[in-house]
Amino acid sequence: MKDWFYNEFKQVGVDYTDKASADHYDVQMDFRDYDEEVGRFVDRLAPADTRAMTAIDLGCGTGAFSVHAARYFRKILAVDVSREMQSIAEAKAREADITNIEFHRGGFLGFRPDEPADVVTTKWALHHLPDYWKQAALLNVNRMLKPGGFFCLTDVIFPFDPDFEVSVQSLLDGLARDHGQEFADETALHIREEYSTFDWVITGMLERAGFKILESDTASALTTEYLCEKIEAPG
């Protein structure tokens, strides 16, 4: 790899290569209903038959998508840069006797599947890359997909607010109230050190990477989910 290439194995924000941080992740996310999230996603792909599909889960973490989606897909490739996070996902798959997940250590920029997939999904992981490398990552995601394949991106996406100090503080106060001070502190770390971008930037990146945005759903003050279709290969 060239010496100017971005090292996506180097952690920004919370260090999820640290075992204690990886072990604590699911505790922090206990407010999420993973079965409901996955079921809703599969419904959005209808009438496609996901049981015949291969899906790639980029930034699989502790298996929030992969483990719960395994019963819906023929095969899932679960990819992550953190060995500690991935080992937790592997343990969950073994405990549930799931045999159709392949685990790969890798990231957005370097991972290449042996064959193009039908679906690529990623949740709360693309923000680890600066914008230049987000675009490179989305081009690589395009290459991972069959023509007409689906890409689902869920991440922290910022609206433009010129009064950003007031809006950020209001956000953090609300998170502390609803989810606890620790969660709010990690969000502050995210805003300070990680690379989430604006909605108008990410939509432009998706279009330039050869995707058509089918649906866009802003679920909260920060979280947006994009369901896209691959309409062309990168130039």
Side-chain angles (χ1 to χ4, degrees):
M1 188 170 290
K2 299 183 185 301
D3 59 5
W4 50 263
F5 210 81
Y6 188 79
N7 178 14
E8 57 186 322
F9 288 83
K10 182 179 179 180
Q11 297 287 292
V12 294
V14 179
D15 182 4
Y16 287 118
T17 64
D18 172 68
K19 187 176 187 305
S21 296
D23 288 342
H24 190 54
Y25 181 81
D26 284 339
V27 175
Q28 287 184 298
M29 296 295 152
D30 64 357
F31 62 90
R32 290 175 60 189
D33 185 337
Y34 295 135
D35 275 331
E36 191 275 336
E37 288 181 20
V38 171
R40 181 160 40 88
F41 172 67
V42 171
D43 287 344
R44 292 170 74 187
L45 298 182
D49 181 9
T50 58
R51 293 169 297 180
M53 290 181 167
T54 296
I56 299 174
D57 183 14
L58 285 173
C60 69
T62 61
F65 177 83
S66 295
V67 171
H68 294 267
R71 68 180 182 272
Y72 293 105
F73 289 87
R74 182 179 67 84
K75 183 169 69 174
I76 295 177
L77 309 183
V79 183
D80 204 279
V81 298
S82 168
R83 185 172 282 115
E84 295 295 342
M85 295 283 274
Q86 201 168 62
S87 67
I88 295 171
E90 290 174 339
K92 290 178 182 178
R94 287 194 301 270
E95 184 177 350
D97 198 26
I98 295 170
T99 59
N100 63 330
I101 302 177
E102 293 180 7
F103 290 94
H104 298 266
R105 188 160 182 253
F108 290 97
L109 301 171
F111 180 69
R112 301 284 195 279
D114 292 335
E115 298 178 348
D118 303 282
V119 175
V120 174
T121 184
T122 185
K123 287 179 174 282
W124 292 287
L126 189 63
H127 62 256
H128 293 135
L129 300 177
D131 279 4
Y132 182 92
W133 295 104
K134 285 189 187 74
Q135 187 69 80
L138 293 173
L139 290 166
N140 194 39
V141 168
N142 183 298
R143 296 183 187 101
M144 296 181 196
L145 281 166
K146 297 176 181 177
F150 296 103
F151 174 47
C152 185
L153 166 65
T154 306
D155 212 336
V156 175
I157 304 294
F158 294 127
F160 177 69
D161 187 343
D163 198 2
F164 69 93
E165 292 187 39
V166 172
S167 62
V168 168
Q169 191 58 56
S170 177
L171 169 71
L172 296 176
D173 291 343
L175 290 175
R177 181 183 62 249
D178 297 338
H179 301 293
Q181 189 59 49
E182 182 182 18
F183 191 88
D185 290 344
E186 285 208 1
T187 303
L189 178 67
H190 176 116
I191 293 170
R192 184 174 65 246
E193 297 186 9
E194 300 184 47
Y195 303 109
S196 286
T197 193
F198 293 108
D199 49 1
W200 53 271
V201 174
I202 202 69
T203 56
M205 288 182 176
L206 287 165
E207 292 165 358
R208 285 165 175 77
F211 292 104
K212 177 182 179 182
I213 299 173
L214 303 176
E215 299 177 21
S216 175
D217 178 21
T218 299
S220 69
L222 287 181
T223 302
T224 300
E225 183 172 270
Y226 302 93
L227 179 63
C228 308
E229 180 184 3
K230 174 178 174 174
I231 58 172
E232 60 184 345

